[in-house]
Amino acid sequence: SAVKGSCAAILFRRRIPGKIHSLAEKALTRPLTVEQKQMIWNLCLKRLQHVPVQYVIEEWDFRDLTLKMKPPVFIPRPETEELVSLVLSELAEEEDVLFSVGKTRWQNSQQAYHPLFLEIGCGSGAIVLSLLHFFLQSRAVAVDKSQEAVDLTRQNAERLCVQHRLQELQLDVLSDSQKLTRICGPVDVIVSNPPYLFHEDMSGLMPEILKYEDHDALDGGADGLDVIKAILQLASTVLKDHGKVFLEVDPRHPEMIQNWLQERASLRLTYRATHWDICGRPRFCVLQRS
């Protein structure tokens, strides 16, 4: 079973003060101490109680970062790594265009491309920290309605030594959009893996998710669009001209979002593209402020 398999995986990791790391090859043949056996058994007992393995070992890899994990903060999924890759590839293309069109200006200013990011629903900080890890001169604002998520993002930012380039805010985009607009000002990019599940789909989630992860980070309302609509309304006020929005969504959402936008020309948002995930599902939306 998946639970037994993840218990076996725990055997290949051990805890040291403040960190969990993979066992060295030589250590695999070294007999475990009584204390180590008890520690591993305690970890496996948690997994047998359906505690997600990320919470059991208290950290997880996301792209080339290792992030601290803590319940009930949402655990980043593999699809979200694809979202980050999409953002990086699109912005890299934009940078090439900027250099080719305004080469002299960029050479004279001696400035690298460093967009200002806003992440809505930061969770553990996986997305925004990956972007700051790539864009070494960029700054970002990370927002979540959960104080636990904001605290975990801050801890991970400190762990990766980028806390001086990140502002974390405990705000709800559904009710605090005006406050957020005042605080963060114009941004180049909004990126989000928002709660996008249809409410009726929540009951079908795995026991690990239902029991331990924050439901507010999953449940997007009746049609899964509650937070997505709020993000798009916010985008019309905080995005710079030609700024972009990158969203991870339910496969049913791209068409729904396009239909919704057609009736709201005042938002000045253009739906640019739908991108598919590794399983061939329409998973990511790109929009741009005109």
Side-chain angles (χ1 to χ4, degrees):
S1 71
V3 171
K4 290 182 179 178
S6 54
C7 284
I10 290 171
L11 296 177
F12 291 95
R13 301 179 77 109
R14 68 178 177 183
R15 185 189 302 271
I16 62 174
K19 185 178 180 183
I20 295 176
H21 70 107
S22 300
L23 291 174
E25 186 175 351
K26 292 182 179 179
L28 297 176
T29 58
R30 187 184 306 146
L32 295 175
T33 66
V34 173
E35 291 79 11
Q36 287 173 326
K37 290 179 180 178
Q38 185 59 51
M39 180 205 70
I40 290 171
W41 179 240
N42 290 341
L43 294 176
C44 289
L45 280 178
K46 289 183 179 180
R47 185 64 189 119
L48 290 169
Q49 295 168 358
H50 295 285
V51 178
V53 66
Q54 294 88 342
Y55 292 158
V56 173
I57 62 177
E58 299 181 3
E59 66 177 23
W60 201 245
D61 293 339
F62 184 88
R63 290 177 59 88
D64 50 356
L65 305 180
T66 299
L67 302 172
K68 180 179 177 61
M69 293 289 135
K70 185 178 181 181
V73 179
F74 181 77
I75 298 167
R77 272 50 168 186
E79 294 91 340
T80 306
E81 296 192 21
E82 297 180 65
L83 174 63
V84 173
S85 296
L86 172 63
V87 176
L88 294 179
S89 64
E90 290 248 347
L91 295 185
E93 288 179 6
E94 286 193 4
E95 182 178 2
D96 289 342
V97 170
L98 286 171
F99 271 94
S100 63
V101 172
K103 187 174 182 180
T104 303
R105 177 172 60 85
W106 281 87
Q107 285 180 337
N108 290 341
S109 65
Q110 296 182 337
Q111 291 181 350
Y113 184 47
H114 45 89
L116 175 61
F117 297 99
L118 169 62
E119 182 185 6
I120 306 295
C122 56
S124 63
I127 296 174
V128 71
L129 295 175
S130 294
L131 295 173
L132 291 179
H133 183 71
F134 184 87
F135 290 101
L136 299 180
Q137 297 184 52
S138 279
R139 304 183 68 86
V141 177
V143 175
D144 204 294
K145 68 180 293 185
S146 162
Q147 187 62 53
E148 291 93 338
V150 171
D151 292 343
L152 186 57
T153 291
R154 183 176 298 116
Q155 291 173 34
N156 279 322
E158 292 170 353
R159 187 176 187 175
L160 298 169
C161 300
V162 297
Q163 69 275 14
H164 59 291
R165 295 193 285 130
L166 179 65
Q167 181 181 13
E168 311 91 354
L169 300 171
Q170 193 266 313
L171 293 171
D172 184 350
V173 70
L174 291 174
S175 57
D176 299 324
S177 60
Q178 291 184 350
K179 184 176 181 180
L180 181 55
T181 300
R182 291 196 302 270
I183 293 174
C184 75
V187 299
D188 297 288
V189 176
I190 296 176
V191 59
S192 182
N193 174 22
Y196 60 68
L197 292 182
F198 287 56
H199 180 73
E200 64 182 10
D201 294 337
M202 288 290 295
S203 60
L205 295 175
M206 295 176 63
E208 288 91 335
I209 299 172
L210 285 172
K211 189 172 182 179
Y212 294 100
E213 290 193 73
D214 183 5
H215 288 197
D216 284 344
L218 297 158
D219 191 342
D223 59 1
L225 288 174
D226 285 359
V227 176
I228 291 172
K229 291 175 181 177
I231 291 172
L232 297 180
Q233 290 169 330
L234 176 70
S236 69
T237 62
V238 302
L239 267 187
K240 297 178 183 178
D241 288 344
H242 310 297
K244 288 188 174 182
V245 182
F246 296 87
L247 299 172
E248 180 177 329
V249 299
D250 183 276
R252 292 166 284 185
H253 281 153
E255 183 177 355
M256 296 170 67
I257 291 172
Q258 292 177 70
N259 292 336
W260 184 80
L261 281 176
Q262 286 177 359
E263 301 174 359
R264 291 164 179 81
S266 61
L267 295 181
R268 296 179 59 200
L269 290 176
T270 301
Y271 191 98
R272 288 298 185 197
T274 301
H275 293 266
W276 281 254
D277 63 21
I278 196 171
C279 296
R281 295 169 295 198
R283 179 67 66 187
F284 311 110
C285 301
V286 181
L287 303 97
Q288 188 170 28
R289 189 173 192 267
S290 58

